[in-house]
Amino acid sequence: MSPKSLVIGAGAAGLAAATRLFANGFTDVLILEAGNRIGGRVWTVPFGNQLVELGAQWCHGQKNNVLYELAKPQDLLEESTFSQRNVLLFSDGYQTSKEVTRSLMSLAHRLVDSEEIRQAKGTLGENFVRKFKEEVPKMDGSIEPDVVDGFIESYHRFLKGKLAIDSWGEASGNCRVGYEKCEGSSRLAWKGKGAKTSLELIMKSEAFDENKISKNKRVKNINYTQKQNGKVLVTCEDNSNYEADHVIVTVPLGVLKKTHQTLFTPTLPTTHTNAIEGLNSGNVNKAFLEFETPFWREHGNVFRLVWRADDLHELRSSKFSWAEGILTFSSVDYCPNVLGVRFVGKEALQAELLPDSEILDGLKMLLKKFFVGIDVPEPTRFIRSKFSTDPDFRGAYSSRSMKTEQLQTGATDLAQPLLDSAGKPVVLFAGEATSPQHWSTLHGAIETGWREADRLIEIYKNSQ
């Protein structure tokens, strides 16, 4: 008889876990999804006649990347145009050359990954700024100090997005310790079919049954005391109850932060609560603007916004102060008339609390301010994400902060299963935040779903 297994969450990790179980003979598997769609932070949406990604966008790397290995045989991926034609765009309209931008970005990336920065005491920010200002004159003495200062401010926002942190003053240079970057192209796009293609790859199993996904089932309690019949009791907000031998929890870290004290009965062990409190769930969002014509095409592909000091002071005292958190305007793969916008940090959360009309007004103000001398038309369509205030996510993806190091915790602690008296795992944890090597990535989420499914498969294989 197949053990009864519940998977909480129909994101990449949950779908990967369930598919693996189905493919290995587990017939009694049910996925409980809080929302009305599957995919979690994979969220491909129609935008006019095109598709845009409100969530996960690319396949990051090729070597040792399970997602790339799934997609490669079907030739589903190709190099994104995102990194091409990067320019620094200043708030007075000044624009650096692509060569200067490329040199500054290369130096910054090298320094952030250097052993000197990683091992230095203090914060990532203070050590990066010091070293960057030392190295730029050695690289190119003709770059003006105000350009260097502007780039540093812009790169701070870049790291807020990449590392999912609100400030580089909250992280040490060692915040990526243990992270394994997959070699090869770091941004591979889905050839116009959308990142939702990754879900189809995950679920590609004859044994997978989509009828085993129950939507609009937000879980409010997981009781693993097993006092009566040895089962875990899962209760949803609609007061429906489910019993299972095993429960794989794949909800995002942000949700665990908000709910873990009431979500689990009994409360989680200190090992897990330290991990939940110590790991960080970052504020990162996107918006998309469609235009009749791509007015930016001749000027660049990715525009990294840099504020002059006077302009920034004025912005911070205006109703558009949240706009300081906008990292880039950029072209969007396979959407020639669409301009993408990236929001990061505390300002990204602040923007979520405002109506669409105010965000749209702020974006139009920015376009006219930064694209000096260009006739910027009215956008014809607008959409954005709100991951931090969405109760099903409470953040974009996980990261490490100084608090993570202070509590000496990490993904490995969060991934530890809860065992019954016989040592059998009854509550298991998956999701990108539980990946010790590939957190914040789609391939990391898939790996963790497979990891927990394999844990159960191994148990029952050995018990036969």
Side-chain angles (χ1 to χ4, degrees):
M1 184 176 69
S2 176
K4 183 169 182 58
S5 303
L6 280 177
V7 177
I8 312 300
L15 295 172
T19 304
R20 192 82 141 203
L21 291 174
F22 281 127
N24 282 273
F26 284 62
T27 57
D28 199 351
V29 180
L30 178 65
I31 303 175
L32 300 179
E33 167 53 43
N36 60 4
R37 64 174 182 85
I38 67 169
R41 285 166 283 178
V42 176
W43 197 355
T44 305
V45 298
F47 191 58
N49 296 323
Q50 302 151 113
L51 296 173
V52 294
E53 308 293 352
L54 291 180
Q57 185 166 350
W58 296 299
C59 174
H60 295 287
Q62 295 161 294
K63 186 176 180 180
N64 297 324
N65 184 323
V66 295
L67 181 57
Y68 178 77
E69 291 167 2
L70 288 173
K72 182 182 178 181
Q74 299 183 44
D75 191 28
L76 295 171
L77 297 165
E78 66 182 0
E79 185 78 31
S80 169
T81 62
F82 184 81
S83 297
Q84 300 172 10
R85 301 202 306 156
N86 270 250
V87 295
L88 295 179
L89 198 58
F90 285 70
S91 56
D92 58 2
Y94 174 75
Q95 180 175 318
T96 60
S97 68
K98 292 181 284 293
E99 291 72 26
V100 167
T101 304
R102 189 181 303 114
S103 296
L104 292 173
M105 289 294 289
S106 296
L107 173 61
H109 292 340
R110 177 171 60 81
L111 291 179
V112 164
D113 290 335
S114 69
E115 284 301 311
E116 181 177 351
I117 295 291
R118 288 181 177 180
Q119 295 179 10
K121 294 182 179 180
T123 69
L124 170 61
E126 60 192 14
N127 286 304
F128 173 84
V129 171
R130 172 186 54 80
K131 191 62 179 175
F132 189 78
K133 287 190 172 183
E134 288 178 4
E135 293 297 322
V136 169
K138 300 176 186 177
M139 179 186 72
D140 186 344
S142 67
I143 300 177
E144 296 292 331
D146 63 333
V147 172
V148 174
D149 290 339
F151 175 83
I152 289 173
E153 178 253 318
S154 175
Y155 196 74
H156 181 196
R157 274 183 279 127
F158 168 79
L159 289 181
K160 287 181 185 181
K162 180 179 180 179
L163 304 180
I165 55 177
D166 286 344
S167 168
W168 58 13
E170 298 173 356
S172 75
N174 212 27
C175 65
R176 297 279 276 182
V177 64
Y179 187 86
E180 294 179 1
K181 182 178 179 180
C182 296
E183 296 178 14
S185 299
S186 61
R187 292 187 181 94
L188 293 167
W190 292 93
K191 290 192 173 182
K193 298 179 180 180
K196 63 181 178 62
T197 307
S198 65
L199 305 179
E200 298 164 6
L201 293 172
I202 295 168
M203 296 186 291
K204 194 172 184 181
S205 167
E206 293 181 1
F208 189 84
D209 184 356
E210 290 196 44
N211 293 321
K212 293 297 183 75
I213 303 174
S214 187
K215 300 173 184 175
N216 298 309
K217 289 289 183 179
R218 183 173 288 111
V219 173
K220 70 177 182 180
N221 186 254
I222 301 169
N223 188 324
Y224 62 100
T225 54
Q226 300 187 300
K227 288 183 178 179
Q228 297 188 12
N229 59 2
K231 304 288 187 181
V232 179
L233 177 65
V234 174
T235 304
C236 296
E237 287 187 354
D238 63 4
N239 292 320
S240 57
N241 294 301
Y242 301 85
E243 291 185 339
D245 298 292
H246 309 282
V247 176
I248 302 178
V249 179
T250 73
V251 300
L253 174 65
V255 175
L256 291 177
K257 283 180 171 290
K258 185 75 173 179
T259 66
H260 75 88
Q261 292 181 328
T262 57
L263 183 60
F264 296 94
T265 303
T267 55
L268 291 172
T270 303
T271 300
H272 291 77
T273 57
N274 278 352
I276 292 169
E277 293 169 9
L279 293 170
N280 184 60
S281 181
N283 299 307
V284 182
N285 276 306
K286 298 179 186 177
F288 297 93
L289 298 163
E290 184 184 54
F291 297 88
E292 290 289 345
T293 57
F295 65 88
W296 61 89
R297 181 177 293 169
E298 295 179 3
H299 305 278
N301 194 51
V302 179
F303 304 93
R304 301 188 180 277
L305 306 189
V306 182
W307 289 93
R308 298 294 191 186
D310 290 346
D311 289 334
L312 184 56
H313 178 75
E314 182 179 345
L315 177 74
R316 286 173 174 173
S317 60
S318 76
K319 68 175 184 178
F320 297 131
S321 59
W322 52 267
E324 186 180 350
I326 292 179
L327 170 62
T328 56
F329 286 110
S330 63
S331 298
V332 179
D333 292 313
Y334 317 110
C335 300
N337 290 359
V338 175
L339 199 60
V341 189
R342 289 175 181 262
F343 301 74
V344 297
K346 294 178 181 178
E347 295 86 1
L349 174 58
Q350 181 186 354
E352 287 193 37
L353 304 176
L354 300 172
D356 284 359
S357 58
E358 190 163 333
I359 300 302
L360 186 54
D361 285 345
L363 294 178
K364 290 192 290 186
M365 177 276 293
L366 289 179
L367 289 171
K368 291 177 181 178
K369 185 169 189 61
F370 280 84
F371 288 87
V372 175
I374 299 174
D375 184 17
V376 179
E378 281 287 311
T380 57
R381 192 173 277 108
F382 168 72
I383 194 173
R384 62 167 170 155
S385 65
K386 298 180 183 179
F387 280 109
S388 293
T389 55
D390 190 316
D392 294 338
F393 303 105
R394 301 289 182 185
Y397 39 88
S398 67
S399 60
R400 279 78 178 122
S401 67
M402 300 285 267
K403 188 174 183 180
T404 314
E405 297 176 25
Q406 290 165 1
L407 291 175
Q408 297 183 333
T409 188
T412 300
D413 293 322
L414 183 57
Q416 291 301 309
L418 306 179
L419 310 177
D420 65 12
S421 58
K424 183 177 290 188
V426 291
V427 178
L428 306 90
F429 297 89
E432 55 85 14
T434 72
S435 173
Q437 299 88 21
H438 297 138
W439 66 85
S440 79
T441 67
L442 181 51
H443 59 273
I446 296 169
E447 289 173 335
T448 64
W450 288 348
R451 179 192 68 207
E452 297 310 311
D454 288 344
R455 195 190 301 272
L456 295 181
I457 293 165
E458 191 66 21
I459 290 170
Y460 287 93
K461 181 178 71 175
N462 292 337
S463 63
Q464 292 176 352

